[in-house]
Amino acid sequence: MMKARPALRFFLSAAAAGLHATPTDLGTLGGLESAAFGVSANGEVIVGHSDTVSAPRAFIWTLGGGMIALPTLGGNDAIANGISADGLTVVGQSSDGTDVHAFSWTLAGGIIDLGAFGGTNSYARAVSADGSVVAGSCDVGVGSHAFMWTSLSGMSDLGTLSGTGNSWANGISSDGSVIVGTSSFGGPFDGVHAYRWTQGGGMVDLSTLTGGVESWAHGVSADGNVVVGSSLYAAGIISGTHAFRWTQAGGMVDLGALGGGDYSVANGVSGNGNVVVGASNSAVAGAVQHAFRWTQAGGMVDLGTLGGANSWASAASQDGSVIVGSSELLGGSITHAFLYANNVMLDWDNWMSSLNGPNSVLAMASHLASLPMEGAHHRPLMSFDHMGKASQVWATGDFGASSRKTDTHMTTGEIGTSATIGDFVVGLSAGHGSQNQDLALGGSAHVSGNYVLAEADYRLADKQSIVSVVLMSGNWTSTTARAYTTGAGPSVSNGTTGVSTESLRLRYDGPVQPIAGQLTATPFISTTWTRTKADAYAESGGSFAATFDAQSHTSSEGRLGLTAKYALTADTTLLVTGEWIHRFDRTSGALSGVDTATGLLPFAVAGLAPTANQARLGLDVDHKLNANTLLNFSAHVAGLGETPDVSVALSIRRAF
């Protein structure tokens, strides 16, 4: 479980429409494993526990907000076991530094210690629909007793079926009037039976499946009339443990096992009592267990895994359309929490990250637009030799590549013209650019389009300092083949959208500072804003295509640098530039939309933060081919960040 942060409200509105399920990897809090134990009635909120880089922590998860850590009672670890139907109250247990105590958590009230009676440790397992009643177990001497907790009466001992021995509470009805669990019966050493407890009737023994001697209740429907769990059974020479569903009218009914196996356990039931979830082996799989979903009409259905051998379902939403649990990943050594919601076993973290952060449509177009701005136009037009003429024409080509933060290759080319008017130089150019970027799992993205760029430079009264303004506007087409992991292997969805960029750079180059002989240095400072907009679009193909809303983001950065200049010969000048780049925007553009398969799984994911600081080193060579022609070559290398790792530019300028 994990360190506390402010919790979010979560937005996975799937349950109300009766979807078929599909396991989704919820990821972790930075560690290797996670498991989900509870889900709200509408499927919006999931809770459980996850490894961190240190101790396990309780988490709360939503489709839009991802996995968020909950606070502890002062210790290092915690587990969230249940969540109220309204999604506002989470219960579980946490270390307080000495003992483990049951807790209740809400966004408004934070974490509350529910205490303990007769012992040192307590554990909260279930909570009523509105969060007012909590059920669990508490140490009593050498054993454990089930409890019910309310804010008015505190923790109440529910006793046991036998009057001695142990009991545990595992489930609670919507209004808190029915609690189910497991208790010693007959005598303190006679084994355990499932029970159903009510306010007026106390604990009632639910007995066992035919031929069994023990049973365990793990969950109860919202109205308290359906109880699920597992029981030992015996049928002739065959015996084992099977999941059961109990009702007042029908008693305990054996749900069987996948493929006729001898083991299954029901861990949860939907609020309406119609869907039972759990895990089962099969006659074929043997010791391997798979999560299942059971209904009266369809029987027990195998939900598969996230690539590993085993999976386990823990809880279901009100109508059973959203199921949560945990599954081994490929290789079997790591377990992740899953969401099952629409016929595809989906690695959710992988699915969302495929078009977020530096892989987003906005980021890709913004990076392409910045290439000529900080490539061929990385210095003012006025800094080039005008060769004694008032006007110039030029042709340039820019090339950029990154392999650390992204796997990207970019090219742009343009033609332009400029004129000198007194202390002003103004220029206008038009160009074309394209970018190819490799995405995860063999996916790819291509951005291409045209741009126009205008620049105005002014030489200040000292005749050395320059103030410049650069404006650039681009229209691009983005085509993406987005690959993501499903239970059946990688799947690819394709989408195309239009993107526009508008950039503004303000720059000041200070007066030239003599260093020694022909060596001089010029300090500069600049700030750049880029507004990027992407049209809404829908993907096609793949097992989990999505429709994406229109997106927009404004990035802003500042650069502080120094350019050293040295005349190698009368015709050749060398310039070396060092600059520090700082991003002022703290996040990239948000990503929102809805799945295409059902239209019932909306998502809204905040963009990832760009690299805040980055250094860049550049080299320029200006060489006069003749009296009227200048060839410029520049190359830059940069630290890890948004600017390309390596970029080069080549331009030829003709004065007239």
Side-chain angles (χ1 to χ4, degrees):
M1 303 148 194
M2 50 199 52
K3 177 80 177 154
R5 296 175 195 160
L8 304 177
R9 201 58 234 265
F10 318 111
F11 307 97
L12 169 59
S13 55
L19 310 178
H20 299 294
T22 138
T24 299
D25 189 345
L26 305 187
T28 73
L29 291 169
L32 293 178
E33 298 187 343
S34 61
F37 298 138
V39 61
S40 61
N42 64 358
E44 291 183 353
V45 192
I46 298 169
V47 298
H49 81 93
S50 169
D51 289 344
T52 66
V53 293
S54 54
R57 295 295 177 87
F59 74 74
I60 190 166
W61 181 96
T62 65
L63 190 60
M67 191 175 283
I68 306 297
L70 292 183
T72 71
L73 292 172
N76 292 324
D77 56 9
I79 296 174
N81 294 315
I83 186 166
S84 57
D86 61 14
L88 301 179
T89 304
V90 181
V91 299
Q93 64 263 7
S94 168
S95 167
D96 63 6
T98 302
D99 302 315
V100 174
H101 276 191
F103 73 79
S104 173
W105 175 91
T106 62
L107 180 59
I111 191 168
I112 299 173
D113 189 336
L114 304 188
F117 55 78
T120 57
N121 299 315
S122 59
Y123 314 86
R125 304 294 187 193
V127 61
S128 61
D130 62 2
S132 63
V133 185
V134 181
S137 61
C138 181
D139 290 351
V140 287
V142 296
S144 183
H145 276 196
F147 73 75
M148 178 180 74
W149 178 95
T150 68
S151 59
L152 295 178
S153 61
M155 193 175 285
S156 302
D157 191 337
L158 301 187
T160 69
L161 285 171
S162 62
T164 58
N166 300 302
S167 64
W168 303 267
N170 296 319
I172 192 169
S173 63
S174 179
D175 63 3
S177 64
V178 178
I179 295 173
V180 301
T182 304
S183 171
S184 300
F185 73 97
F189 306 108
D190 288 344
V192 294
H193 274 189
Y195 72 79
R196 180 177 181 268
W197 178 94
T198 60
Q199 192 77 48
M203 274 190 191
V204 174
D205 190 336
L206 301 187
S207 190
T208 69
L209 292 173
T210 302
V213 293
E214 290 191 323
S215 61
W216 305 265
H218 299 136
V220 63
S221 60
D223 62 8
N225 293 328
V226 179
V227 182
V228 299
S230 59
S231 170
L232 297 177
Y233 76 96
I237 62 172
I238 300 174
S239 63
T241 300
H242 272 186
F244 73 77
R245 181 177 183 269
W246 178 96
T247 62
Q248 190 77 47
M252 192 176 285
V253 176
D254 189 337
L255 302 187
L258 292 171
D262 60 2
Y263 177 83
S264 64
V265 56
N267 295 318
V269 61
S270 60
N272 60 18
N274 294 332
V275 179
V276 182
V277 299
S280 170
N281 68 358
S282 68
V284 176
V288 172
Q289 297 178 31
H290 278 194
F292 73 76
R293 178 179 188 264
W294 179 95
T295 61
Q296 189 75 49
M300 192 175 285
V301 176
D302 190 335
L303 303 187
T305 74
L306 288 171
N310 297 289
S311 62
W312 307 267
S314 303
S317 59
Q318 171 64 27
D319 66 354
S321 62
V322 176
I323 298 169
V324 299
S326 58
S327 171
E328 292 175 348
L329 304 185
L330 186 64
S333 61
I334 298 175
T335 300
H336 276 193
F338 74 69
L339 164 80
Y340 191 84
N342 80 7
N343 281 336
V344 176
M345 185 177 289
L346 181 70
D347 182 330
W348 174 252
D349 281 354
N350 171 267
W351 190 81
M352 290 311 303
S353 66
S354 60
L355 277 184
N356 201 2
N359 296 323
S360 71
V361 170
L362 295 180
M364 287 186 280
S366 179
H367 293 163
L368 179 56
S370 71
L371 183 63
M373 289 275 289
E374 299 301 338
H377 294 273
H378 76 279
R379 50 192 269 211
L381 288 172
M382 194 172 276
S383 70
F384 291 99
D385 187 346
H386 280 235
M387 294 162 282
K389 302 294 178 68
S391 301
Q392 283 190 4
V393 292
W394 69 80
T396 67
D398 276 285
F399 312 89
S402 294
S403 60
R404 293 175 294 172
K405 195 166 187 178
T406 62
D407 191 353
T408 306
H409 296 83
M410 299 179 286
T411 61
T412 62
E414 69 176 51
I415 56 173
T417 184
S418 65
T420 301
I421 307 170
D423 289 328
F424 288 91
V425 172
V426 293
L428 182 66
S429 61
H432 176 81
S434 66
Q435 173 174 303
N436 291 304
Q437 185 163 324
D438 292 337
L439 303 179
L441 302 174
S444 62
H446 177 74
V447 180
S448 64
N450 302 311
Y451 66 89
V452 294
L453 185 148
E455 180 174 342
D457 301 347
Y458 175 67
R459 193 179 300 278
L460 300 182
D462 63 8
K463 300 303 179 180
Q464 293 183 343
S465 302
I466 301 171
V467 175
S468 60
V469 179
V470 177
L471 294 169
M472 179 177 170
S473 178
N475 286 287
W476 320 92
T477 299
S478 173
T479 302
T480 303
R482 185 172 63 89
Y484 45 90
T485 300
T486 71
S491 187
V492 178
S493 296
N494 298 282
T496 299
T497 188
V499 187
S500 64
T501 59
E502 285 80 35
S503 300
L504 167 65
R505 186 183 75 199
L506 304 178
R507 174 166 165 152
Y508 169 73
D509 288 72
V512 176
Q513 306 296 316
I515 304 298
Q518 297 294 319
L519 180 63
T520 62
T522 302
F524 65 88
I525 186 171
S526 70
T527 184
T528 304
W529 297 269
T530 299
R531 178 71 168 175
T532 309
K533 298 180 180 180
D535 298 335
Y537 70 99
E539 293 179 321
S540 61
S543 56
F544 210 84
T547 297
F548 294 92
D549 298 331
Q551 306 169 51
S552 66
H553 178 67
T554 299
S555 63
S556 58
E557 68 172 33
R559 297 188 181 222
L560 181 64
L562 184 71
T563 298
K565 182 178 180 180
Y566 184 77
L568 295 174
T569 69
D571 294 325
T572 305
T573 302
L574 176 69
L575 299 93
V576 177
T577 300
E579 58 188 321
W580 187 256
I581 309 167
H582 178 73
R583 284 288 290 262
F584 295 104
D585 52 319
R586 299 304 182 189
T587 183
S588 58
L591 190 68
S592 63
V594 67
D595 75 292
T596 303
T598 66
L600 296 165
L601 293 176
F603 56 87
V605 180
L608 302 179
T611 302
N613 296 293
Q614 186 179 14
R616 191 171 82 144
L617 182 66
L619 173 71
D620 277 58
V621 178
D622 289 350
H623 179 67
K624 293 177 68 172
L625 298 177
N626 56 48
N628 298 320
T629 308
L630 178 72
L631 181 68
N632 168 258
F633 170 81
S634 66
H636 290 86
V637 294
L640 183 64
E642 316 310 311
T643 297
D645 297 346
V646 178
S647 60
V648 297
L650 184 66
S651 67
I652 186 165
R653 300 172 182 273
R654 178 76 175 177
F656 65 93

